Amino acid sequence: MTEETPGFDEEPDVPSGATPEDAASKGAEPDSAKESGPAAPAGDVQQNDTQTALIAQLDQVRTALGERTADLQRLQAEYQNYRRRVERDRVTVKEIAVANLLTELLPVLDDIGRAREHAELVGGFKSVAESLETVAAKMGLQQFGKEGEPFDPTIHEALMHSYAPDVTEDTCVAILQPGYRFGERTIRPARVAVAEPQPGATPGEKASSADEPDTDEESGGPDEG
């Protein structure tokens, strides 16, 4: 009597109506699943791809943002420089226009000064003249030039020249026409008479020896024997 090993001759349970091929494929499924191992879910793979794409896009956006920020800063600096340049040019143009206007008024101011020196600045003419001088001063016109001040060729124009023993340097001894300036700009130099130190003389020096009496002539020379 032959002993049967349980389990080897038994056929897998197959639903009724199934074909032998179905039974064979059902019996082979465990082996194929064991060989391939556990498969990664499709959702995780898709999520990783999406994150990689988003990171790449974020890097691109950051790079573009840095470039646009640099462009904006450069444009802002250029605009600030443009504003400062325009403001500087505007101030310069205004100063030139005011200086030109004041230059045209200088002959009138000279006439007013001469009238004042001759005591002719009276009545309504005096009121108008003083109003004009006030307006010119408010616009920034300044008068300069005084007798006794050192001669400065940058602001003085010498019309007369002489020597004087009582000066130690070139000195303005007379103001023929006052000078005018507007801000740092000299509109007209002061026209002056200049005196220089006398050559070979010092201030307060007494008369030269040529003007002194000859002691020999006063004494009458040696006595005759």
Side-chain angles (χ1 to χ4, degrees), residues 77-94:
E78 292 178 355
Y79 177 68
Q80 293 296 334
N81 293 333
Y82 168 76
R83 287 189 59 186
R84 285 193 291 266
R85 185 169 60 252
V86 169
E87 181 65 19
R88 184 172 60 250
D89 293 344
R90 185 184 67 82
V91 173
T92 301
V93 170
K94 180 181 178 180

Side-chain angles (χ1 to χ4, degrees), residues 148-184:
E149 64 184 6
F151 175 75
D152 185 353
T154 61
I155 60 174
H156 296 139
E157 180 181 354
L159 300 183
M160 298 177 63
H161 180 272
S162 62
Y163 294 96
D166 58 344
V167 296
T168 59
E169 60 181 347
D170 294 351
T171 306
C172 301
V173 294
I175 306 299
L176 306 179
Q177 262 188 343
Y180 290 96
R181 66 168 58 96
F182 172 68
E184 300 297 328

Side-chain angles (χ1 to χ4, degrees), residues 56-78:
Q57 292 180 0
L58 181 60
D59 292 338
Q60 293 178 356
V61 171
R62 287 176 177 173
T63 301
L65 179 60
E67 294 176 353
R68 299 300 180 272
T69 302
D71 293 340
L72 180 60
Q73 292 175 348
R74 183 172 60 255
L75 290 175
Q76 187 175 6
E78 292 178 355

Side-chain angles (χ1 to χ4, degrees), residues 79-141:
Y79 177 68
Q80 293 296 334
N81 293 333
Y82 168 76
R83 287 189 59 186
R84 285 193 291 266
R85 185 169 60 252
V86 169
E87 181 65 19
R88 184 172 60 250
D89 293 344
R90 185 184 67 82
V91 173
T92 301
V93 170
K94 180 181 178 180
E95 290 180 352
I96 293 175
V98 174
N100 291 337
L101 174 61
L102 294 175
T103 301
E104 296 297 328
L105 292 177
L106 294 186
V108 180
L109 298 176
D110 291 336
D111 292 338
I112 293 174
R114 284 189 290 267
R116 183 178 286 111
E117 291 176 357
H118 293 83
E120 297 177 356
L121 199 62
V122 294
F125 176 61
K126 178 181 179 181
S127 177
V128 173
E130 291 177 349
S131 297
L132 180 60
E133 290 176 336
T134 301
V135 171
K138 286 183 178 180
M139 295 179 67
L141 185 66

